[in-house]
Amino acid sequence: MNGSPEPPAMTDLRILVDGQELTATWTGANPETRAAISDALPLEGDAARWGEELYFRTEVDVSAEDAQAEVPVGAVAYWPQGNAVCLFWGPTPASRGDEPRAASPVNVVAEIDDVGPLSSVEGGATVRIERA
């Protein structure tokens, strides 16, 4: 209105992946899953890598909500079949092209602001998700 730039988006989560810090913002989707994850924070685990996805098991246990297999780049999602949190930044073995695709449908709850640092992750990694 007065020509000043818009304030930056609010960061909700801080994600540490082997010492690299990422930020993420909650999405409006899957409110039950989001609440369960939020209540359980901080979450931490030794992640496995599957293509350009990291995932680690958690104590969070929620059902599929508005689950989808194809997710956006930067998706932070919960995998109901494995009680795991997943970070997506590119194709996985299930992808049909360049899109990130989960092994089975996931509940997307947040989006990573910059996935660039994830491209240097080799193999598994320690992942910690906490409030920003």
Side-chain angles (χ1 to χ4, degrees):
M1 295 199 226
N2 60 8
S4 61
E6 287 187 37
M10 188 72 169
T11 296
D12 297 311
L13 299 171
R14 188 166 85 124
I15 303 172
L16 301 170
V17 179
D18 276 353
Q20 297 189 74
E21 186 174 328
L22 308 169
T23 57
T25 305
W26 294 118
T27 65
N30 302 305
E32 291 176 26
T33 306
R34 173 182 161 176
I37 289 173
S38 181
D39 289 347
L41 292 176
L43 291 172
E44 185 169 349
D46 292 326
R49 183 168 174 171
W50 191 59
E52 293 188 5
E53 172 195 349
L54 286 174
Y55 66 95
F56 65 98
R57 292 198 177 275
T58 71
E59 295 298 315
V60 175
D61 186 7
V62 292
S63 300
E65 201 168 345
D66 184 16
Q68 60 196 73
E70 188 174 324
V71 300
V73 169
V76 177
Y78 175 79
W79 182 39
Q81 276 190 303
N83 290 28
V85 172
C86 314
L87 310 177
F88 294 91
W89 69 95
T92 67
S95 295
R96 298 181 182 141
D98 290 339
E99 87 287 351
R101 182 175 289 274
S104 58
V106 296
N107 302 343
V108 175
V109 295
E111 193 166 311
I112 297 168
D113 300 316
D114 175 13
V115 297
L118 291 172
S119 62
S120 65
V121 173
E122 293 183 21
T126 299
V127 177
R128 179 179 171 89
I129 301 175
E130 56 192 39
R131 286 179 183 82

